[in-house]
Structure formats: structure tokens, C-alpha cells
Amino acid sequence: MIPVEKNKEYTVTVDAVSSDGNGIAHIDGFAVFIPRTVDGDEVKILVVKVKSRFAYGKLLEIITPSNKRAEVTCSAYKRCGGCQLRHIKYDSQLEIKKDIVENAMQRIGGFENFEVEKIVGMDNPERYRNKMVFPIGFVNGKTECGFYAQRSHDIIPLKDCLIGDKLNSEINKAVITYMNDNNIPPYDEINHRGIVRRVFTRTSHSTGEVMVVISANVTTLPKSKKLVNILRTTSDRISSIILNINTKRNNLVITDNNVTLWGKNCILDTLCGIEFEISPESFFQVNPIQTEKLYNTALEYAELNKNTSVMDIYCGIGTISLCAATKAKNVIGIEIVERAIEDAKENAKRNNINNAVFYADSAENIVPLLIEKGEKPDVVILDPPRKGSDEKTLSAIIKAQPQRIVYVSCNPATLARDARFLADRGYFISKSSAFDLFPHTTHVECVVLMSSVDG
Ligand code: SAH
């Protein structure tokens, strides 16, 4: 018997938060997920969906707020879905993330009593993102810029997002003014007409410079000088204005077809003292302050010296590889995206690093080949995408018998699975930490050191 009914109201006390950020309450032992609540809240809810093992409730009223509740100052919070934990005090958010990691390691990985040694949060958990995308469209006949409502392409007007740079709101206003003053219509994805699709900005944490990219359905932007003028008077931090051409019927955020309208083609940022050149489409970590802390811990776990050889698998544009190369004998970086490997090689040259080589190939293909050919890294660093690594890659690593494996992960569930694979083959978890790279969201990054039982 399911003890809850659809379309009925209940008063419940939330007792936990799930890994996707919903509060959980129990009605006669039956779990009800309630978005935008936190444990300790006493709330009135409407049950909106009932499944065989759980239900979903909609928050109607907070009767007694939890002492973990924070005031929400973002006007878009309810419709955006980007910051699922914004209603929770930051310290409590960190506790929730630590629990998510520990639960995954214990339940999926079977590491009994596993505890993360530390979770590293931000001193100021706002305005951390160095890359923002604002779609542009007509809303009630007016050109507006904002974000897409959850699971839709309806634009909700919002010029400023609290996790991005404050300057974005000025940039967005300037672009709208340019469009209104010059009769430049926004792009309409239904009939594939109109011009401006979105504003995309990238900010350098180290220099403060900003790149503004206008994604548009044209090969030449009308009155582009007017756009350049208005943006240049908006802020002298803007050092690059780029047209990103996308005339196809798709919704790609960015294509590889860029025309520089004014200023530089790339902006520069630094991570752990290494300079990186960032083009509109480069992959670059979005929270450099926290990324540095994460990398420093990964490198500390790697215990590098001038005799250590390193293999950095899933290396992206070579950020970890190049930071490691300054401390190690040599580094091999492996990454599936060719363009990222080109950037990695460029970045190596720019920083006069000549003990790093890079291969553009899938890990599952090249790692076994390199190890078969006799590569014997002392330390393997891996930083896979959310789906984690795979048995071919992990088995090849085991074959090479590195002293240490430093696993950097953005998904505790796949980390737990892969760490179990390694733990069953001669490695044990000797250190672990978690990092909050995305405050107010449920995402969490981890670094785990796995050492060989044979020493
Ligand atoms: N270490 C980098 C990037 C980590 S993101 C950094 O810190 O910036 C994970 C990377 O793995 C992405 O760049 C993605 O393109 C790459 N990737 C995904 N699947 C892969 C595979 N099968 N083989 C190699 N690289 C892969």
C-alpha cells in the first residue's frame, strides 16, 4: 500500500537531501522528494507524482524553516534550476557534498566507513564562473537576454547571474541596446530567422580581461562597428570581441567559426603559475580559484620529483600535465579531443615546457598500447569525464604497476566504481579530499590517492 496520494496536501518534516539536491521527507516510511527544501524544514506540500517506491512533492509553504536555510537573493532561482542548493547555507551545502561522496564510496565502492579527509569550499562562493552564456530572444515582443527556463527554451529575462562576473549585466545591456538601436532581431529557432542567438563571455581570473562572443546566424554582423563601440565604452576590461558564426539549424552554444571584430583572438589566464591561452571554444575549468586548490592537492598526492615519470590521462588542454611537468622528469598527456591536444602543445611551448608529450586518442585505445610498448609511469593521474574510466584503461594502468594513482573525479558514483576496480587489484585509498568547484549546485570534485600495496 502506497501511503501517499497524488494531488493531496501533506505537512511533513524534511529529513535529508538527495544527491540531486532535493529534500527528502518520509510519510509512513515512504520517500517524498521535495525540490528547494532542506533537512529540518517543516513544510506543507502538494504531492504531484507518485511512483511505486517514491513520490514527488511541490513546496507550498514553509511552516518552520530549518536552521540550515539561507536567504535567496536571486530573482531567477525558482525558474532557473541552475543553483539547486541556493536556499541552503554554504557550510551546510559543503556538508551535503561531503555526504554525497562518502555515501557513493561506501555504497557503490564498498569502502566501509570511508571518510573524506576534507572538503574545501570557497571563501566567497559567488561570482566564481569565468564563462557564461546568455541566450537572446523575443519575450512579449521585446528583445531580452536571460537564461532558459528548466527543461525548455523559453527565455527568462535576467541580465545578471550571481555566479558570473558582475560585468556581464553591463555587457548584456550593451548588446541589447545595440540590437534595439540598429533593428537587429534576435534569432528565432522555430522558423530559423533573425540574427543574434546569444552572448557568451569568458573572463580571465588572473588578468581580469574579458572576451565577449556574439553567436549569430550571419556571416557578417550588421553595424558591427556600433557593437564594438558600445562594448568598448562599457568597460576597458573587454579585450576581445568576437563574432561566432552559426548559420545552421541547430542550437550549438559555440561553433569553431570565429571572426574577431575587435581586439585579441584569445585571452590569457594562469593556473598554478602556468599561462594558458583561451580561445572562444577552448575547454578551460570554469572556477579557476578552486581548480588551483584541486590541482595543488592532486600534485601533492602525486609526490613528484625530477625522477618521476607521469601519465596524465583525460588531460584536456594539458592543465594538470603542464603543472606536473614543472616538477617531474616527464609527462605523457592523453586526451580524445584533437583541438584540446593542439592547445596543450601550444600551451607547453608558450611556457617553455619541453618534457611533456601529448597524444590525441581515446584512453582505452592508447593507454594499453603505450604500456604494451614499455611505458612505465611512476605516477598515473586520471581525470575522466562524468562516466568515469573503463576497464581497458584501468587494466592497462594495473599492468604498468605505477607507485601511485591520483584519481581526480567530477562524479563520486563512477569514482567509487573505478576505485573498487583498482582496490581489488593491488591499490588502496591512502588519501582523499573533496573540492567545491560549483557552489550552490550539487556538483562536487574529488581527488583520491591510491597507492600500491607493494609500496
Ligand atoms: N584534466 C583536464 C580535463 C578533464 S575533463 C582538466 O583538468 O582541465 C575530462 C576530459 O576527458 C575531457 O577533456 C574529455 O574530452 C576527455 N575524454 C573524454 N572521453 C575520453 C576518452 N575516452 N579518452 C580520452 N579522453 C577522453
Side-chain angles (χ1 to χ4, degrees):
M1 257 289 281
I2 293 176
V4 299
E5 260 177 64
K6 194 175 161 175
N7 294 331
K8 247 183 105 173
E9 288 182 15
Y10 296 83
T11 296
V12 293
T13 300
V14 178
D15 52 50
V17 174
S18 71
S19 61
D20 47 10
N22 295 317
I24 311 172
H26 288 87
I27 298 176
D28 293 339
F30 193 79
V32 185
F33 293 97
I34 313 154
R36 294 192 287 279
T37 62
V38 61
D39 46 304
D41 276 344
E42 191 195 356
V43 290
K44 194 197 267 183
I45 60 165
L46 178 73
V47 168
V48 288
K49 194 190 253 180
V50 181
K51 300 270 203 182
S52 59
R53 295 179 53 205
F54 56 87
Y56 275 98
K58 184 177 161 198
L59 175 63
L60 296 179
E61 187 193 335
I62 301 170
I63 299 168
T64 318
S66 160
N67 58 14
K68 296 184 178 175
R69 252 189 192 273
E71 191 195 344
V72 177
T73 51
C74 173
S75 62
Y77 158 74
K78 283 191 184 160
R79 297 186 67 186
C80 165
C83 292
Q84 308 95 320
L85 304 182
R86 190 166 271 286
H87 59 282
I88 302 175
K89 283 181 186 157
Y90 190 54
D91 283 354
S92 303
Q93 290 185 21
L94 294 178
E95 278 304 312
I96 290 169
K97 295 189 187 201
K98 190 165 174 278
D99 283 350
I100 291 174
V101 176
E102 291 174 353
N103 272 332
M105 292 301 277
Q106 291 169 10
R107 295 195 356 221
I108 301 169
F111 297 98
E112 263 176 53
N113 307 322
F114 175 89
E115 277 183 41
V116 183
E117 285 164 38
K118 58 174 185 201
I119 173 147
V120 182
M122 295 192 80
D123 296 336
N124 173 16
E126 300 291 0
R127 307 264 176 225
Y128 59 84
R129 267 192 83 95
N130 60 8
K131 181 173 100 175
M132 296 298 291
V133 183
F134 296 91
I136 292 187
F138 278 132
V139 179
N140 300 327
K142 261 177 76 186
T143 299
E144 295 273 11
C145 148
F147 61 92
Y148 290 131
Q150 259 175 316
R151 291 182 288 274
S152 100
H153 275 185
D154 292 345
I155 291 176
I156 304 205
L158 179 80
K159 293 192 178 61
D160 187 25
C161 167
L162 296 179
I163 61 174
D165 195 301
K166 188 114 193 62
L167 187 59
N168 284 311
S169 76
E170 302 301 314
I171 292 170
N172 290 337
K173 269 189 224 151
V175 174
I176 300 286
T177 305
Y178 147 78
M179 290 174 68
N180 287 338
D181 289 356
N182 298 287
N183 291 320
I184 314 279
Y187 176 69
D188 178 336
E189 63 183 11
I190 295 170
N191 59 27
H192 190 50
R193 291 220 188 100
I195 297 183
V196 178
R197 292 166 174 262
R198 52 182 68 81
V199 184
F200 177 106
T201 58
R202 305 195 77 142
T203 310
S204 164
H205 174 66
S206 60
T207 66
E209 63 182 333
V210 176
M211 168 186 276
V212 180
V213 183
I214 305 294
S215 159
N217 176 34
V218 283
T219 47
T220 334
L221 190 69
K223 311 267 177 63
S224 66
K225 282 213 173 92
K226 298 243 161 122
L227 173 73
V228 167
N229 286 342
I230 191 168
L231 283 173
R232 287 187 63 192
T233 52
T234 297
S235 167
D236 54 15
R237 287 176 57 199
I238 297 173
S239 64
S240 162
I241 304 173
I242 290 179
L243 168 68
N244 183 251
I245 300 169
N246 181 2
T247 53
K248 299 224 171 86
R249 237 183 208 279
N250 62 33
N251 211 24
L252 286 179
V253 172
I254 193 109
T255 67
D256 57 7
N257 195 356
N258 293 305
V259 176
T260 303
L261 300 176
W262 177 81
K264 306 196 288 186
N265 306 331
C266 291
I267 57 171
L268 282 182
D269 208 347
T270 55
L271 273 177
C272 307
I274 312 268
E275 259 184 12
F276 292 92
E277 217 172 51
I278 305 164
S279 65
E281 69 272 33
S282 295
F283 174 87
F284 194 69
Q285 292 280 357
V286 299
N287 182 343
I289 298 179
Q290 291 299 94
T291 300
E292 261 191 3
K293 297 180 191 169
L294 172 83
Y295 286 0
N296 282 332
T297 299
L299 295 179
E300 181 196 310
Y301 286 3
E303 282 182 57
L304 305 178
N305 63 46
K306 287 291 167 201
N307 299 316
T308 325
S309 57
V310 179
M311 187 177 276
D312 177 23
I313 313 175
Y314 313 96
C315 72
I317 58 164
T319 31
I320 300 179
S321 318
L322 297 178
C323 296
T326 59
K327 299 183 164 64
K329 183 171 80 186
N330 54 42
V331 177
I332 297 175
I334 291 160
E335 159 64 44
I336 200 164
V337 175
E338 255 168 62
R339 174 64 211 259
I341 288 294
E342 283 167 29
D343 284 354
K345 289 178 180 167
E346 276 302 311
N347 287 325
K349 262 193 230 149
R350 153 173 289 280
N351 291 281
N352 299 317
I353 291 174
N354 40 35
N355 59 341
V357 292
F358 292 96
Y359 294 96
D361 201 339
S362 73
E364 55 276 29
N365 188 39
I366 186 115
V367 175
L369 279 178
L370 290 173
I371 284 166
E372 205 58 49
K373 278 196 196 146
E375 280 300 340
K376 218 176 154 7
D378 302 304
V379 174
V380 169
I381 301 174
L382 59 165
D383 182 7
R386 287 189 67 74
K387 73 174 185 345
S389 190
D390 62 274
E391 292 197 1
K392 279 190 189 151
T393 306
L394 295 175
S395 301
I397 295 172
I398 298 285
K399 214 172 191 182
Q401 287 289 301
Q403 287 157 25
R404 289 179 289 286
I405 302 173
V406 180
Y407 195 128
V408 181
S409 162
C410 56
N411 183 350
T414 53
L415 166 68
R417 179 199 67 200
D418 292 347
R420 170 48 55 201
F421 188 90
L422 297 169
D424 289 342
R425 289 161 183 80
Y427 286 82
F428 68 99
I429 298 179
S430 46
K431 286 180 183 171
S432 63
S433 28
F435 293 83
D436 190 17
L437 266 64
F438 306 98
H440 312 299
T441 75
T442 53
H443 295 289
V444 55
E445 298 271 327
C446 311
V447 187
V448 167
L449 171 63
M450 300 201 65
S451 308
S452 165
V453 269
D454 303 327

